[in-house]
Amino acid sequence: MNTSVRGKMPLGDTRSCVRTVHRRRGGKCLVDPQIPFAVRHARNDMTSMKHILKTAVLCILLGGTASCGSGQKGVRLIADEDRRKIDVLFDGKLFTSYIFPDNMEKPALYPVYTANGTVVTRGFPRDPRPAERVDHPHHVGIWFNFGNVNGLDFWNNSGAIPENEKHRYGIIRHRQITHIENGREQGELSVVCDWTDAAGTTLLQENTRFIFGGRGDWRIIERITSLTAHHDTVVFTDNKEGLIAIRTDRAFEEPSERPDIFLDLHGKPAGEPAVRNEGVNGTYRNSEGLENERHVWGKQARWVCLSAEKDGEQISIAMFDHPDNPGYPAHWHTRGYGLFAANNMGSRVFDRSSPLFELTLKRGETVTFRHCIAIKTNGFATDSELNELSAKMNYHYR
């Protein structure tokens, strides 16, 4: 990593390379026999992509007949060009979607489901649900950005920011899909994004690889993101807003006596601020044995887990830092209203006795971050399970 650290294509782009393989043997990519011939041998152009989409839709409608392969087992990624998203199916059921709509200031994974099909991400502002909070419209699903990049705030940007204030914020634009891989045990998605200012000048090029997997009651998302300084020097300065984050469903919030605005049955803000704790039962804990927002927020840890019961289903959402990341172990930005994030570039902002964090990339230099999110259902994740996952986190990365 060539850095200085202080303190701790559009879907139809003809340059894109979309491949669907099952496994590798002897250094060669072997084609998954369950993928239709037209998909395996498609050209990289718009006509071929449309054909792929039509074939994928036919496979779903036909329910896995002989013409589309035997069943829907495994992880399948399906591109939806018109809606600017890629659905991730696990054994035929939606796990999550990589979305990059024009009206969002960053791509995200949204929504996210357990193995039982229960949604764990907040709906507001994209798909509001009754009794949800209406705060922080920039909190959508699972995302990756930071609050101070050359003085620009990438974290807080959203459609709620007035146009005359936009110059203070950064935007992350999806540019290209470089790789799609389906498989029986895991699927992969690689994308290129640009981190730009409001005028469209690129500060950073992002190359991200997602690995989607799991087994039984577990669903796992691994994210490896490399950021390269594009034209000029880029400086990341100590800030609490970052880095990889999730905004969860209402059930995962901690009970609160503070009045707030919530959505009514019609998805509209309901009257005066009120105290509402129906179904709210979230509990944080971290790898150091600390529990609840008050004790977990701002502390360094290898992992943080947020657990709650939703409609009788016991669910845990855990996020893991990686030893090779700058600032490891990360400080954690955990809030009782259902936001939590691993922040590798926040230090003194969380602990005044810590050194000021600053990471500098000169033109062409790259920094890489590795994180994992695990979602467990049908029983809360135990410390021993989470510690085991944390210890195995490097199996894809080295």
Side-chain angles (χ1 to χ4, degrees):
M1 178 179 65
N2 297 319
T3 62
S4 172
V5 182
R6 292 196 297 162
K8 67 162 249 200
M9 116 187 127
L11 199 55
D13 193 323
T14 57
R15 296 170 297 171
S16 65
C17 172
V18 182
R19 297 193 302 156
T20 307
V21 301
H22 171 49
R23 61 194 184 281
R24 290 180 175 84
R25 180 182 299 162
K28 296 181 179 179
C29 291
L30 301 184
V31 177
D32 188 339
Q34 295 187 9
I35 303 302
F37 180 90
V39 175
R40 286 186 258 151
H41 296 274
R43 297 175 181 175
N44 279 325
D45 56 26
M46 182 67 77
T47 302
S48 141
M49 179 59 74
K50 290 180 178 178
H51 186 76
I52 291 173
L53 296 177
K54 290 178 181 178
T55 305
V57 171
L58 284 173
C59 287
I60 295 173
L61 294 176
L62 291 173
T65 61
S67 63
C68 292
S70 54
Q72 300 181 25
K73 290 295 184 181
V75 183
R76 296 285 180 266
L77 281 71
I78 300 177
D80 186 333
E81 181 182 358
D82 292 336
R83 299 174 67 185
R84 294 184 65 80
K85 68 172 185 171
I86 300 172
D87 290 336
V88 181
L89 305 183
F90 200 112
D91 290 346
K93 297 192 302 183
L94 184 64
F95 172 24
T96 188
S97 298
Y98 171 78
I99 64 170
F100 47 101
D102 291 329
N103 63 353
M104 271 179 56
E105 283 68 21
K106 60 183 176 293
L109 295 177
Y110 171 89
V112 182
Y113 296 90
T114 69
N116 289 342
T118 300
V119 66
V120 296
T121 44
R122 182 176 71 160
F124 179 85
R126 299 194 64 79
D127 305 291
R129 299 193 290 268
E132 287 189 325
R133 296 178 184 270
V134 295
D135 58 68
H136 301 88
H138 50 280
H139 292 175
V140 178
I142 297 172
W143 72 96
F144 182 102
N145 59 11
F146 192 62
N148 190 338
V149 184
N150 281 8
L152 294 176
D153 183 353
F154 282 81
W155 176 276
N156 286 290
N157 200 2
S158 75
I161 302 297
E163 197 62 35
N164 64 347
E165 297 290 332
K166 281 287 192 180
H167 65 279
R168 300 178 180 178
Y169 297 85
I171 301 171
I172 303 175
R173 290 299 185 203
H174 168 90
R175 296 301 185 202
Q176 183 181 1
I177 299 167
T178 58
H179 181 70
I180 288 179
E181 181 172 330
N182 299 329
R184 291 192 177 93
E185 295 186 356
Q186 68 181 39
E188 295 191 22
L189 170 65
S190 295
V191 298
V192 177
C193 300
D194 289 338
W195 292 42
T196 77
D197 62 17
T201 301
T202 299
L203 282 69
L204 296 159
Q205 183 179 85
E206 172 190 323
N207 287 270
T208 290
R209 175 189 176 203
F210 295 99
I211 304 170
F212 303 100
R215 183 176 298 175
D217 297 329
W218 292 85
R219 295 291 180 264
I220 294 176
I221 301 168
E222 298 171 74
R223 176 174 180 141
I224 306 96
T225 292
S226 295
L227 302 175
T228 302
H230 195 255
H231 286 304
D232 299 311
T233 297
V234 175
V235 180
F236 302 84
T237 303
D238 209 314
N239 193 280
K240 73 179 176 68
E241 312 283 28
L243 179 65
I244 183 170
I246 182 172
R247 181 64 188 262
T248 60
D249 176 80
R250 183 94 166 96
F252 294 86
E253 298 179 18
E254 290 186 351
S256 171
E257 297 304 315
R258 177 181 174 181
D260 211 332
I261 298 292
F262 299 92
L263 296 176
D264 62 19
L265 294 176
H266 305 288
K268 304 294 183 181
E272 297 296 320
V275 174
R276 297 192 60 176
N277 287 316
E278 300 90 343
V280 174
N281 64 112
T283 301
Y284 285 106
R285 75 181 193 278
N286 70 11
S287 58
E288 311 312 299
L290 302 178
E291 295 187 358
N292 302 323
E293 174 197 6
R294 184 164 63 93
H295 300 294
V296 174
W297 187 89
K299 301 299 190 300
Q300 289 182 284
R302 292 175 292 112
W303 54 260
V304 167
C305 182
L306 177 58
S307 296
E309 185 172 305
K310 181 180 179 181
D311 299 328
E313 183 178 348
Q314 292 184 334
I315 304 168
S316 291
I317 305 169
M319 192 180 298
F320 302 83
D321 195 15
H322 189 274
D324 289 346
N325 287 340
Y328 176 87
H331 288 81
W332 292 80
H333 186 23
T334 53
R335 293 304 196 194
Y337 52 75
L339 163 79
F340 81 103
N343 191 343
N344 296 92
M345 296 192 287
S347 179
R348 186 179 295 175
V349 68
F350 294 112
D351 183 351
R352 293 181 181 179
S353 65
S354 296
L356 182 72
F357 183 95
E358 188 175 274
L359 187 152
T360 300
L361 298 177
K362 296 181 180 179
R363 179 178 178 177
E365 292 183 340
T366 299
V367 62
T368 298
F369 295 93
R370 306 156 179 86
H371 297 96
C372 177
I373 295 176
I375 303 164
K376 167 74 163 53
T377 189
N378 297 328
F380 298 135
T382 65
D383 282 5
S384 60
E385 289 173 324
L386 297 175
N387 285 328
E388 182 179 359
L389 277 173
S390 179
K392 292 179 177 179
M393 248 204 79
N394 63 358
Y395 72 94
H396 271 304
Y397 303 148
R398 294 183 177 177

